[in-house]
């Protein structure tokens, strides 16, 4: 579809904006980032995106019930992972303050 | 405004834009997912496979030397009467002789009143004759019921009739063989074959040609004696015969049913859409092979076979046999219909594959749970040895009773077990990813997780619901497409 390349260009630009914005947020919160922290944060965001896309794909193909369950179940897990990840990122901040 | 403030504002602007950007990205990805689900190009239909791009599962890491069917004794060729259509045909001809003479058997009579081979068969398989009688009576009821349903399912019936029409009568293509293979398979060859560069070239060429004729899947298998029918050979009739020496290889082709109608089984779907297509593909392959100087015979649905298709397709590396008795392929799942062409063209055989379908079937049982006839086994491991192989067997008679029960104009099938199989899902990214990850996981943990989701999250009507009232509600697995709903186009 002709719109596809445009879609991915826009997503790429938004991704760049998100990374720049994240850098500012993290430095303002005194969180020191290491390469593996970026990797974990990136993996978490990819997981979140895949879960959203997966649930919506099921809804799109007419499996509403499966799609909603999938979204609820996977978003709950991702939320828990997100809390864990945030604590991991923020721990460094405490270490730095000590 | 002081310079410092300006700097803070720009920074804040980027910070908050990032949040808005994340929200937009996630919405975009959710939208992309939704449209990927809706996309009709991911239906496992046959529309876009002209160059084989739908045969896209990488089989190489899963090639094995020994096929996944389990030998458990001396292989025995399938008998003519072991095919339900053949034995039912014989019974119908006794009940309604073609020459108009008096019936030679009736439903009021028993197994002892049947002639030789039929009597032997039904004595060996008690209960099957009673099931035939039940199916026959249900068939009469089905005809009566049709009056009630014929408007509601008019388009589905017309769609099925249109697909079955090219397969009927003298004009059918490919033509029924009129002679023994030694004669008929060579009929029409008027050239000597050119020197083929290698059997590998032969296989690659024939696969490309089969794809251009519309085959979604193609594989090459050796023709093993044990997959031949015994007691009947097309072009000859009832006879004893050995494998003709020129049946060296079989080119096996597979295609799916149209996807939307498959999901709306049993009443909106048909088998004939795939069958008629397979007749064209195999028939054209036969003509093509003869044109370049090789002997060829096509084996096509619904009943024009001298060979049993699923094991042949397993040998050709297309897939594995499922609990529901049919071939399951990584691309099309249980939505795979088969035909083959036997030939003496030098070809390179494919190796079978093992992607763990049997192990998945041991846990899954969804087809057995949804089957309205109870014809599919719930046993974890196949309990029977059938003609020398341990495998699950479906009860053909029970299945046929349901064909005679559902709200169609005549017994034209059910196919619920094809539609509900988790391997038959749409070919979009999420199901493809799941199938790939399952195949590469040797522990089976991924498939257990997928199966748990499949059973908890997905909605199934329930076995009895597929039947007409009062036993069920004429349920279909999924909503039919608008083009099969009469009420969308006509005032009822
Ligand atoms: S076609 Fe229907 S009745 Fe027959 S085995 Fe499959 S689900 Fe059961
Ligand atoms: S529905 Fe499940 S048990 Fe049945 S054939 Fe498909 S995978 Fe196997």
């Amino acid at each position: 579809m002709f719109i596809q390349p445009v879609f991915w260009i826009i997503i790429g630009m938004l991704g760049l904006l998100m990374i720049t914005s994240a850098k500012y947020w993290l430095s303002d919160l005194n969180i020191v980032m290491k390469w593996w922290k970026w990797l974990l944060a990136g993996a978490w965001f990819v997981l979140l995106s895949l879960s959203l896309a997966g649930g919506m794909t099921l809804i799109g193909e007419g499996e509403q019930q499966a799609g909603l369950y999938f979204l609820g179940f996977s978003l709950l897990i991702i939320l828990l992972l997100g809390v864990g990840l945030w604590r991991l990122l923020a721990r460094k901040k405490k270490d730095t303050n000590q | 405004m002081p310079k410092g403030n300006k700097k803070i504002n720009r920074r804040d602007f980027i910070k908050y834009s990032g949040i808005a950007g994340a929200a937009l990205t996630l919405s975009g990805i959710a939208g992309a997912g939704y449209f990927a689900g809706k996309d009709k190009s991911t239906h496992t239909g046959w529309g876009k496979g002209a160059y084989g791009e739908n045969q896209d599962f990488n089989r190489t890491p899963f090639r094995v030397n020994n096929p996944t069917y389990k030998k458990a004794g001396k292989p025995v060729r399938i008998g003519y009467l072991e095919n339900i259509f053949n034995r039912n045909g014989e019974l119908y001809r006794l009940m309604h002789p073609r020459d108009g003479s008096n019936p030679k058997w009736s439903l009021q009579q028993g197994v002892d009143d049947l002639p030789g081979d039929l009597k032997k068969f039904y004595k060996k398989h008690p209960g099957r004759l009673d099931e035939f009688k039940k199916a026959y009576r249900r068939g009469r009821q089905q005809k009566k019921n049709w009056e009630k349903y014929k408007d509601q399912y008019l388009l589905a019936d017309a769609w099925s009739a249109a697909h079955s029409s090219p397969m009927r009568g003298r004009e059918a293509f490919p033509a029924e063989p009129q002679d023994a293979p030694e004669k008929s398979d060579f009929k029409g060859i008027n050239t000597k074959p050119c020197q083929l560069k290698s059997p590998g070239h032969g296989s690659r060429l024939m696969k490309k040609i089969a794809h251009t004729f519309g085959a979604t899947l193609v594989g090459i298998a050796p023709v093993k004696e044990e997959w031949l029918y015994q007691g009947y050979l097309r072009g000859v009739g009832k006879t004893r015969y050995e494998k003709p020496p020129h049946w060296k290889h079989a080119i096996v082709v597979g295609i799916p049913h149209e996807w939307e109608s498959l999901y709306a089984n049993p009443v909106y779907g048909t088998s004939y859409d795939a069958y008629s297509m397979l007749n064209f593909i195999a028939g054209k392959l036969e003509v093509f092979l003869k044109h370049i100087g090789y002997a060829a015979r096509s084996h096509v649905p619904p009943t024009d076979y001298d060979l049993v298709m699923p094991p042949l397709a397993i040998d050709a590396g297309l897939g594995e046999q499922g609990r529901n008795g049919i071939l399951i392929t990584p691309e099309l799942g249980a939505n795979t219909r088969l035909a083959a062409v036997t030939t003496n063209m030098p070809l390179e055989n494919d190796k079978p594959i093992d992607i763990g379908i049997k192990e998945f079937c041991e846990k899954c049982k969804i087809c057995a749970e949804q089957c309205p006839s109870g014809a599919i086994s719930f046993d974890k491991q196949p309990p029977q040895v059938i003609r020398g192989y341990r495998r699950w067997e479906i009860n053909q008679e029970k299945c046929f009773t349901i064909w005679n029960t559902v709200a169609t104009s005549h017994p034209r099938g059910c196919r619920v077990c094809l539609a509900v199989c988790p391997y038959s899902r749409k070919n979009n990214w999420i199901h493809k990813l799941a199938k790939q990850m399952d195949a590469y996981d040797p522990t089976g943990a991924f498939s257990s997780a997928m199966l748990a989701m499949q059973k908890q999250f997905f909605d199934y009507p329930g076995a009895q619901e597929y039947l007409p009232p009062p036993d069920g509600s004429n349920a279909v697995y999924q909503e039919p497409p608008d083009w099969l709903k009469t009420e969308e186009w006509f005032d009822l």
Side-chain angles (χ1 to χ4, degrees), chain B residues 1-10:
Chain B
M1 199 180 272
K3 211 180 166 195
N5 267 0
K6 245 189 187 173
K7 218 175 173 181
I8 288 164
N9 283 343
R10 194 165 58 234

Side-chain angles (χ1 to χ4, degrees), chain B residues 361-416:
Chain B
C361 284
E362 283 171 13
K363 297 183 268 193
C364 169
K365 302 179 186 173
I366 289 175
C367 53
E369 288 159 6
Q370 290 298 310
C371 170
S373 69
I376 302 174
S377 163
F378 278 91
D379 293 309
K380 185 167 189 265
Q381 294 285 345
Q384 312 95 330
V385 173
I386 300 150
R387 297 186 290 278
Y389 291 92
R390 184 168 293 282
R391 64 173 178 85
W392 287 294
E393 187 188 32
I394 74 152
N395 185 319
Q396 299 175 349
E397 262 76 9
K398 281 189 176 178
C399 174
F400 190 63
T401 301
I402 291 303
W403 295 23
N404 283 273
T405 308
V406 292
T408 48
S409 62
H410 62 288
R412 62 158 210 257
C414 158
R415 294 163 301 273
V416 164

Side-chain angles (χ1 to χ4, degrees), chain B residues 232-253:
Chain B
Y232 189 90
L233 180 63
R234 288 175 311 141
V236 179
K238 287 187 178 172
T239 181
R240 290 164 75 96
Y241 70 103
E242 305 287 307
K243 184 183 100 168
H246 66 277
W247 286 7
K248 291 200 165 33
H249 305 274
I251 302 166
V252 189
V253 293

